[in-house]
């Protein structure tokens, strides 16, 4: 096998092994994955109907998973394996990118560093599009470097195609464009190269513009995102500081170990890739909170490249063969991150677990029971595991999700919900694992009926969700 290929194989193999390790996460599925599961099971016309109302930003991914389920069947493995494979591809391309920007030891170190990053391991095991976006971003960065070194219309077309695919999976990946613009401004290639990049970038951006505009019209679905917290800012600053220190260490005085004298320098691409998307998203979030690290997960490619360059410099200063300190550092990283790695693969590693809630419902339900969801989004429990609700009646639902073209269906008026609750003896309530909160008139009606006419008989809190059973109060007696 050519040595260059080994730069890709090692990181890809490590990423694949880490991705397959505990891929079912103790047979759990969190709420965002439940959305993927529910939408991917709809027909293509039904998916299009949904996207006209909500989640158009994830439309391509939903259609892709629909095809995966149609070919391979539905399972937790089928749900998450595309993300595992995409992240393994991203690790391989990161290795090749590092080798192209510097040398093979740097590329190998960068690819392996990428594979062991906790955020990379987390999203490699989620049925969401972020791993696929990261893989496309890695390919786009690789094609940029290749096209700058050897300009060719085919290479620039491949760059534009990678950028467009990433944007169609999640248009926040267009934040790569200012990254690449900064890298080219620092490198100062020939004018013709800049013009070709601008043309390819403009084509990708314009092609993705309809998706951007359509998702902007659905901006209410991200209204839940809170302002950036102090802990999130601290974590980001520590990450940027680590990347900056690696960038400084990779440029010792005198000979630049592992950095080519010609071509785009590694730090010129990697540092903007780590920093710019975060800063842009933070700036936007001052007016409209949008900052979630998963939206810019691809920035970890830049961090991995900087870590790889620092490892290469470290090996050079020790005057050792690069593979020896690299193997030691990799072993230390895997060992030091072991508690985090184990946690990520447990059911407790995500916000909540839809599947355990469904099992708890199946354990307590009785024929004729009514069911209420607080809030309505917790109906995903029944949508993922309908068999667990056999014999029960959804008291609030008047139009199911598929027929209404919505994610969770359409609920009746507060009066309709109250009247339906009065017609049953027992109600099973599915909510978050804290006291149910009412943020809508419908939810307030649910709680009002439960508190005034029913008494809670049992409650089960498990893996972030609560299943409660309520029974009608006995009629009062005058004695």
């Amino acid at each position: 096998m050519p040595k260059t290929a080994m730069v890709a194989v090692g990181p890809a193999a490590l990423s694949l092994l880490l991705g397959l390790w505990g891929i079912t996460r103790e047979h759990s599925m969190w709420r965002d994955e439940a959305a993927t599961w529910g939408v991917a099971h709809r027909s293509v016309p039904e998916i299009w109907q949904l996207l006209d109302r909500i989640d158009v930003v994830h439309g391509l991914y939903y259609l892709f998973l629909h095809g995966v389920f149609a070919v391979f069947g539905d399972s937790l493995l089928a749900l998450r394996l595309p993300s595992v494979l995409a992240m393994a591809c991203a690790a391989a391309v990161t290795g090749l990118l590092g080798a192209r920007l510097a040398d093979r030891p740097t590329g190998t170190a960068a690819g392996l560093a990428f594979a062991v990053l906790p955020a990379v391991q987390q999203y490699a095991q989620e049925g969401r599009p972020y791993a696929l976006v990261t893989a496309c971003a890695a390919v786009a960065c690789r094609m940029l470097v290749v096209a700058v070194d050897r300009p060719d219309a085919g290479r620039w077309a491949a760059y534009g195609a990678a950028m467009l695919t990433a944007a169609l999976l999640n248009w926040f990946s267009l934040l790569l464009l200012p990254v690449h613009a900064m890298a080219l401004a620092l490198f100062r290639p020939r004018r013709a190269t800049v013009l070709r990049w601008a043309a390819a970038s403009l084509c990708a951006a314009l092609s993705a513009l309809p998706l951007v505009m359509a998702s902007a019209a659905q901006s209410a679905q991200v209204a839940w995102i809170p302002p950036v917290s102090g802990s999130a800012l601290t974590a980001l600053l520590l990450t940027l500081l680590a990347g900056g220190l690696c960038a400084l260490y990779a440029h010792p005085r005198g000979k630049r170990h592992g950095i080519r004298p010609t071509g785009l320098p590694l730090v010129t691409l990697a540092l903007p890739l780590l920093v710019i998307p975060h800063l842009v998203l933070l700036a936007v979030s001052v007016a409209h909170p949008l900052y979630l690290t998963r939206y810019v997960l691809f920035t970890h490619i830049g961090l991995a490249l900087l870590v790889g360059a620092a490892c290469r410099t470290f090996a050079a200063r020790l005057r050792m063969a690069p593979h020896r300190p690299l193997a030691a550092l990799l072993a230390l990283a895997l060992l030091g991150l072991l508690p985090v790695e184990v946690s990520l693969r447990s059911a407790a590693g995500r916000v909540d677990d839809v599947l355990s809630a469904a099992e708890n419902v199946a354990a307590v339900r009785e024929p004729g029971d009514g069911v209420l969801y607080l809030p309505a989004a917790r109906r995903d429990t029944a949508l993922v595991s309908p068999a667990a609700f056999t014999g029960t009646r959804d008291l609030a639902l008047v139009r199911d999700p598929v027929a209404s073209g919505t994610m969770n269906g359409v609920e009746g008026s507060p009066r309709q919900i109250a009247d339906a609750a009065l017609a049953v003896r027992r109600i099973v309530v599915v909510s978050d694992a804290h006291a149910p909160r009412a943020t809508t008139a419908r939810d307030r009606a649910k709680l009002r009926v439960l508190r005034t006419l029913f008494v809670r008989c049992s409650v089960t809190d498990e893996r972030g969700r609560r299943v409660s059973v309520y029974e009608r109060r006995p009629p009062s007696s005058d004695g």
Side-chain angles (χ1 to χ4, degrees), residues 203-216:
C203 287
L206 290 177
S207 298
L209 186 59
L211 174 64
V212 176
M213 295 176 66
S215 64

Side-chain angles (χ1 to χ4, degrees), residues 134-471:
T134 302
C136 291
V139 172
C141 290
R142 163 81 175 167
M143 293 312 305
L144 173 73
V145 173
V146 171
V148 167
D149 281 354
R150 291 185 293 170
D152 176 86
R155 295 186 179 94
W156 284 116
Y159 167 79
M163 280 298 314
L164 177 58
T165 305
L168 293 179
L169 286 167
N170 191 310
W171 61 264
F172 282 100
S173 60
L174 291 174
L175 291 174
L176 274 172
L177 294 181
V179 170
H180 294 165
M182 176 63 74
L184 292 177
L186 294 173
F187 179 55
R188 298 167 138 194
R190 291 181 301 174
R191 186 168 180 269
T193 298
V194 175
L195 291 176
R196 289 173 180 174
W197 168 80
S201 300
L202 184 62
C203 287
L206 290 177
S207 298
L209 186 59
L211 174 64
V212 176
M213 295 176 66
S215 64
Q218 299 176 355
S219 59
Q221 74 180 87
V222 293
W224 63 269
I225 300 177
V228 182
S229 65
S231 59
L233 276 177
T234 301
L236 174 60
L237 289 174
L238 290 175
T239 301
L240 298 184
L241 178 61
L245 291 175
C246 286
L248 290 175
Y249 188 69
H251 282 76
R253 292 182 180 179
K255 182 180 178 181
R256 290 183 171 185
H257 297 292
I259 304 297
R260 293 186 305 163
T262 60
L264 192 67
L266 183 145
V267 175
T268 300
L269 174 63
L271 201 54
L273 177 55
L274 173 62
V275 175
I276 290 178
H278 286 287
L279 295 185
V280 172
L281 203 54
L282 281 173
V284 172
S285 294
V286 173
H288 302 286
L290 281 175
Y291 184 77
L292 292 175
T293 53
R294 59 178 177 264
Y295 289 167
V296 287
L297 182 66
F298 54 84
T299 60
H300 285 77
I301 299 169
L303 177 61
L305 289 170
L306 294 170
V307 171
C311 288
R312 179 68 175 97
T313 301
F314 178 69
R317 286 188 170 181
L318 292 179
R319 300 183 183 276
M320 296 174 61
H323 68 274
R324 292 182 179 178
L326 179 58
L329 290 172
L330 177 62
L332 287 173
L334 289 172
L335 184 61
L337 292 171
L338 187 59
V340 176
E341 293 162 350
V342 172
S343 174
L344 289 174
R345 289 158 178 81
S346 70
R350 303 302 188 278
V351 173
D352 55 10
D353 180 15
V354 177
L355 298 181
S356 68
E359 292 173 358
N360 290 329
V361 170
V364 300
R365 65 174 165 81
E366 293 180 2
D369 282 352
V371 183
L372 289 175
Y373 302 93
L374 282 165
R378 298 304 159 260
R379 186 170 283 109
D380 56 8
T381 312
L383 300 178
V384 170
S385 302
F389 293 78
T390 301
T392 65
R393 175 190 168 199
D394 191 327
L395 299 176
L397 193 68
V398 294
R399 291 189 68 198
D400 68 76
V402 174
S404 62
T406 60
M407 193 69 75
N408 297 296
V410 177
E411 295 192 337
S413 67
R415 179 61 182 269
Q416 288 175 310
I417 295 172
D419 289 345
L422 291 174
V424 296
R425 181 181 64 86
R426 285 181 15 126
I427 297 178
V428 178
V429 178
V430 181
S431 64
D432 293 321
H434 47 69
R437 292 178 296 174
T439 57
T440 67
R442 291 179 175 87
D443 288 347
R444 285 190 289 272
K446 297 172 190 176
L447 282 179
R448 185 165 53 249
V449 169
L450 290 172
R451 288 169 177 169
T452 58
L453 299 176
F454 289 78
V455 59
R456 190 170 68 185
C457 303
S458 68
V459 58
T460 303
D461 286 343
E462 186 176 1
R463 297 181 177 180
R465 292 219 172 174
R466 170 175 293 181
V467 174
S468 308
V469 177
Y470 288 79
E471 289 189 359

Side-chain angles (χ1 to χ4, degrees), residues 6-31:
M6 286 301 299
V7 173
V9 170
L14 178 61
S15 180
L16 186 62
L17 289 173
L18 291 173
L20 293 176
W21 169 30
I23 190 172
T24 64
R25 298 204 312 267
E26 300 177 356
H27 191 68
S28 65
M29 179 191 300
W30 82 290
R31 65 181 64 163

